[in-house]
Amino acid sequence: MQHGRRTLIGIRICGLSTLMSLVALIGCAAQSGAEPGPKDGLNAGYEALSLKQYDSAISSADVFIAGHPGGPGRAEAYYLRGRALEDRPKPNSSAVRSDLQEARTAYIRALESSPSPALEGLVRAGVGNVAFFQDDYLTAQQQLTAAYEKLDKAEQKAGALYRVGRCQQRLGKFDEADRTFTEVQQKFPGTGAAVGAKQHEGARGFYVQLATFRVAADADKASGALRQQGVAPQTVRTSAGQMALRVPAGSFSEARQIKSRMAASYPDALIQP
């Protein structure tokens, strides 16, 4: 038997190249020989983030925020803090919830600190990404839609639009989601977002995939055990030739309830789509 795992971040809307561009932008005055400015102290934090030194990045952001109660750089510092909290590895589900909520708070404070239009796009994408993994799909859709027009790079825009489609699916708006997925594929062919959009289009309902089995008899045995518990599972063959055991759900909320109820026996169950 094999269990699936959900990737926390999925398609990252702000990639390493964008991050390094922010480092260069913040530190450009020092690099050109100008007098040090208030944003120069953020360089080390952004560089730490690019090296996946998340705690150091958070510390740099906190020091800057404490030392600059107003003025330039606060939006960048709060964005840095949010990115590091969002991206750092999570040892358990409690840490996932805590870091995501702290990241969301940091992003909101960045929005309250008069970010530039370019940074605002990245911050709103951050809010949307975090809200998606907090199952707050309405907020995620709103923020990602607002971010889309402000993002510069095609990869960023593709990621934001793809995530909008996922939000629409989770809200049960399947026709809207398919239109969004089609737009992703037409506007951003060859991107990871386009691949994801192709994989997710066409859904018209939810189900919880409990596990996959290499041997059909094992899947039948697990299915029989579930039926004895009053659960009505389906067994379907995957494109890889394995047998997937899944339980249909009428809504995403119902799928979450099924997943929670099955957690003891199937801790790695996945909700689809």
Side-chain angles (χ1 to χ4, degrees):
M1 180 175 67
Q2 296 177 323
H3 294 297
R5 295 187 181 276
R6 184 176 83 169
T7 301
L8 175 63
I9 301 302
I11 293 179
R12 160 51 63 194
I13 294 171
C14 175
L16 179 60
S17 61
T18 301
L19 179 61
M20 297 310 295
S21 295
L22 283 172
V23 174
L25 178 63
I26 293 169
C28 63
Q31 293 171 4
S32 64
E35 289 295 321
K39 296 184 183 180
D40 293 339
L42 290 176
N43 276 321
Y46 274 97
E47 289 171 357
L49 180 59
S50 71
L51 296 172
K52 300 184 179 181
Q53 297 170 355
Y54 302 111
D55 290 339
S56 293
I58 293 168
S59 178
S60 293
D62 288 343
V63 168
F64 186 93
I65 291 166
H68 300 81
R74 284 178 65 80
E76 289 90 341
Y78 277 122
Y79 174 71
L80 168 63
R81 192 175 204 280
R83 273 295 308 276
L85 284 162
E86 184 184 353
D87 288 0
R88 75 176 175 181
K90 317 289 192 270
N92 51 54
S93 59
S94 177
V96 170
R97 291 191 295 271
S98 177
D99 276 5
L100 287 180
Q101 187 55 48
E102 283 196 57
R104 184 167 177 165
T105 298
Y107 288 141
I108 291 171
R109 289 181 176 170
L111 290 174
E112 296 170 346
S113 301
S114 302
S116 66
L119 181 59
E120 181 184 346
L122 295 175
V123 174
R124 290 193 183 279
V127 177
N129 204 46
V130 169
F132 181 87
F133 288 103
Q134 291 178 318
D135 296 332
D136 182 1
Y137 301 113
L138 184 59
T139 297
Q141 180 180 346
Q142 292 170 342
Q143 291 296 320
L144 289 163
T145 299
Y148 179 78
E149 295 299 333
K150 296 180 182 296
L151 294 170
D152 293 330
K153 298 183 182 298
E155 185 177 359
Q156 298 167 7
K157 295 175 79 70
L161 193 59
Y162 163 75
R163 188 75 78 203
V164 167
R166 294 296 312 279
C167 291
Q168 291 166 334
Q169 271 192 336
R170 292 293 172 91
L171 292 168
K173 301 175 181 178
F174 296 112
D175 290 338
E176 290 183 29
D178 279 354
R179 287 193 290 270
T180 300
F181 290 145
T182 297
E183 185 178 356
V184 173
Q185 294 173 75
Q186 290 175 344
K187 290 185 175 179
F188 308 103
T191 63
V195 173
K198 180 65 175 177
Q199 292 173 341
H200 281 92
E201 67 182 352
R204 289 295 181 273
F206 300 96
Y207 61 88
V208 181
Q209 182 166 303
L210 300 177
T212 57
F213 300 83
R214 294 188 178 90
V215 180
D218 292 338
D220 292 340
K221 181 178 179 181
S223 178
L226 287 171
R227 292 184 185 281
Q228 290 180 356
Q229 299 173 31
V231 180
Q234 299 174 342
T235 304
V236 297
R237 187 172 297 278
T238 70
S239 58
Q242 298 179 332
M243 302 303 297
L245 183 65
R246 66 188 195 184
V247 180
S251 67
F252 186 76
S253 178
E254 183 183 345
R256 288 177 61 187
Q257 294 174 6
I258 294 171
K259 183 176 183 293
S260 178
R261 193 165 68 247
M262 297 286 103
S265 299
Y266 299 97
D268 296 323
L270 297 170
I271 298 176
Q272 299 292 343

